[in-house]
Amino acid sequence: MMRLYPPPDAIILGDKSTEAYYETYVDCDVMNPGAFHTNGEFLVFRPVDMSSGERKGDCEFSQID
Amino acid sequence: MEQVKITPIEGLLGSKGVKILLGIITQVEEGRYYLEDPTAQIPIDLSQGEFLSDGFITEHSIVLVEGEIVDGVLSVKKIGQPLYETRKVAIEAIGLQNTDLFGAIPTIAELSKLQEQEVNHGEDGMFIILSDVHLDNSRVLERLEKLFEGFEEFEPLPVFCFMGDFAAKYPSTVQENGNGTIIGYFDDLANVICKYPRIAQEGKFILVPGLNDPGIGKILPRPQIPDYFTAGLRSKVKHVHMASNTCRLRYFSQEIVIGRLDVMSKLRQECLVPPVGFEDIESDCDDDAGMDVEKKVDLHTIHKRDASSKTNPLLSNMLFGQCWIKGIYVLYHRRHCLSIGSMII
């Protein structure tokens, strides 16, 4: 359940000890949506995005006031 | 490419000069760190170590070290993370039978087939991810309503993944009708979802609990929120998956790990060598006052219930125990980012 080997394709971490972020580390997408209760931040994650011509994940930050 | 020879710790006995070692940092005696490999362990002095890679080095990090023995202690000159092994390389190395927790992909040929399908049919798939959805906050419920309004017309509907804590403050267990209040929070969520009948019928929801949500508390992996609290929600909304923390999803060939974990503060608390290029973090690491923010230890126990831990127990401990693995902390588009470091053992 908790192992990270082999590395997964994506890791979604709700981590309120830091800001929202999205980072691709080698081939693993790691993202934190931020806290929804403070300013309505959330993430839209698409695991398959072909717009660049190759298969990769896409992540957008969004917010509801 | 320049090749270096890794010396086993056992081989350090009686040798002189600078050596390169690969090992795990452990605390054999309280307050004293050792470098350990399958052959032996040796006390290390990290005070002079130059940190060469990104990320955090904590107890139980696997590190590459350059140093020499001084009076029986390995004086570290340079320290860094070993190379990252990609998912593809790891799967090729150890095979799918040991890696696919779902037991659904028997062969690499099957995996390639799924990747093909993913490209052809998976592009519409979308996950809406929210964390700290405090259902006791009316503002949050209003925002959720707006969220559902926005996605109602999507075809296909996205998957909604909500992470806890699901209330800013839960009623105390001795408080009268405390449980009723908690049930009410999830009923409120159900009512908001039911305003959008298509989402209630077809939308898929994944609820990942935080550490303060009802149920078994501060252990990891943390089981789902007990059914008792969510019966109303599950009866009104057709596809609600009460997940554990952490949990993992499979999307065609992809594996996605979801966790509600305050990782960054833990890494900052536990780092042994100041991270590179972040003076603010360095000051936090050097200065105990800087650690007060999240000083309270909120993750205590690793619950080894899952069979997967057996194959690689070390890895579970590395990320989710008191001892955190190496992570990467970088400045990315002016954001401070964390990503998980390499997982080679």
Side-chain angles (χ1 to χ4, degrees):
Chain A
M1 186 80 73
M2 298 177 68
R3 71 179 184 187
L4 288 177
Y5 181 84
D9 294 281
I11 300 175
I12 300 166
L13 272 178
D15 183 350
K16 69 172 183 211
S17 62
T18 185
E19 296 165 17
Y21 60 75
Y22 170 55
E23 171 75 0
T24 303
Y25 184 63
V26 191
D27 58 357
C28 180
D29 293 319
V30 185
M31 65 205 86
N32 173 18
F36 187 69
H37 74 97
T38 50
N39 49 11
E41 278 183 304
F42 65 99
L43 269 184
V44 179
F45 175 56
R46 292 170 55 227
V48 183
D49 176 29
M50 299 299 294
S51 57
S52 65
E54 55 178 310
R55 182 181 65 102
K56 57 181 202 168
D58 175 56
C59 176
E60 269 176 55
F61 293 95
S62 206
Q63 194 172 13
I64 298 177
D65 288 329
Chain B
M1 191 187 285
E2 191 193 344
Q3 290 197 340
V4 292
K5 191 179 169 213
I6 290 172
T7 311
I9 294 173
E10 209 175 37
L12 285 176
L13 283 171
S15 70
K16 281 188 176 174
V18 175
K19 305 279 183 208
I20 293 171
L21 302 102
L22 177 73
I24 183 167
I25 298 178
T26 54
Q27 202 175 167
V28 179
E29 306 159 42
E30 201 174 336
R32 193 169 194 203
Y33 292 99
Y34 282 66
L35 187 73
E36 186 176 320
D37 75 2
T39 64
Q41 52 190 212
I42 186 169
I44 47 170
D45 173 15
L46 290 164
S47 58
Q48 306 299 318
E50 185 191 349
F51 188 17
L52 291 182
S53 54
D54 291 334
F56 292 95
I57 299 242
T58 66
E59 187 186 349
H60 289 188
S61 286
I62 294 170
V63 287
L64 265 174
V65 164
E66 191 180 304
E68 63 180 325
I69 303 274
V70 180
D71 299 330
V73 176
L74 178 69
S75 173
V76 175
K77 309 267 184 241
K78 290 174 186 168
I79 187 165
Q81 321 248 5
L83 294 172
Y84 182 93
E85 192 173 65
T86 63
R87 177 172 175 77
K88 190 167 175 282
V89 171
I91 287 177
E92 279 166 6
I94 62 174
L96 272 167
Q97 275 177 340
N98 296 325
T99 57
D100 180 29
L101 281 181
F102 300 94
I105 312 175
T107 58
I108 290 186
E110 197 74 26
L111 186 74
S112 317
K113 216 182 282 175
L114 275 171
Q115 279 165 349
E116 210 173 289
Q117 285 178 8
E118 181 176 297
V119 170
N120 295 332
H121 308 290
E123 218 180 340
D124 295 334
M126 189 189 279
F127 291 82
I128 307 300
I129 301 152
L130 282 65
S131 180
D132 291 87
V133 186
H134 292 176
L135 299 172
D136 56 345
N137 180 340
S138 59
R139 190 82 190 86
V140 166
L141 292 172
E142 283 167 25
R143 283 180 183 146
L144 283 176
E145 208 171 321
K146 279 189 194 168
L147 179 88
F148 295 136
E149 196 183 325
F151 287 105
E152 196 193 9
E153 303 294 326
F154 272 54
E155 183 59 48
L157 277 174
V159 174
F160 295 95
C161 174
F162 294 172
M163 287 189 263
D165 299 341
F166 289 104
K169 193 167 171 20
Y170 278 107
S172 113
T173 46
V174 292
Q175 204 170 315
E176 202 183 329
N177 199 26
N179 284 348
T181 311
I182 298 172
I183 292 169
Y185 295 154
F186 291 101
D187 284 347
D188 288 346
L189 174 63
N191 293 337
V192 172
I193 297 170
C194 286
K195 287 183 185 171
Y196 303 91
R198 181 166 167 248
I199 294 182
Q201 279 299 310
E202 297 170 25
K204 293 190 170 56
F205 289 84
I206 300 163
L207 268 65
V208 179
L211 291 176
N212 299 313
D213 284 324
I216 298 175
K218 296 172 179 181
I219 62 165
L220 285 172
R222 187 205 183 284
Q224 66 185 66
I225 294 171
D227 289 350
Y228 173 70
F229 295 104
T230 57
L233 172 68
R234 285 179 294 111
S235 67
K236 289 178 187 166
V237 182
K238 208 168 173 189
H239 308 285
V240 182
H241 301 273
M242 303 304 298
S244 57
N245 180 19
T246 62
C247 64
R248 55 181 73 211
L249 299 175
R250 191 161 70 80
Y251 184 76
F252 291 88
S253 74
Q254 296 196 24
E255 209 167 287
I256 301 166
V257 173
I258 304 177
R260 172 65 187 81
L261 307 157
D262 290 334
V263 178
M264 181 62 83
S265 63
K266 296 296 280 180
L267 282 169
R268 290 172 70 152
Q269 280 174 30
E270 304 288 340
C271 62
L272 301 176
V273 183
V276 178
F278 292 92
E279 283 66 29
D280 57 329
I281 295 184
E282 277 182 36
S283 63
D284 275 2
C285 295
D286 295 339
D287 176 10
D288 279 348
M291 299 186 198
D292 284 347
V293 188
E294 295 272 342
K295 192 70 185 176
K296 65 175 194 294
V297 176
D298 51 7
L299 302 177
H300 288 287
T301 318
I302 309 283
H303 182 39
K304 288 187 177 172
R305 63 172 184 169
D306 55 330
S308 60
S309 300
K310 286 180 192 159
T311 48
N312 266 319
L314 180 64
L315 290 158
S316 321
N317 291 334
M318 278 159 54
L319 177 61
F320 298 110
Q322 277 284 21
C323 322
W324 295 85
I325 53 149
K326 45 208 172 269
I328 302 297
Y329 191 80
V330 291
L331 203 63
Y332 175 75
H333 286 201
R334 296 180 175 272
R335 283 176 188 281
H336 290 253
C337 303
L338 168 81
S339 92
I340 303 304
S342 56
M343 285 283 134
I344 304 164
I345 57 169

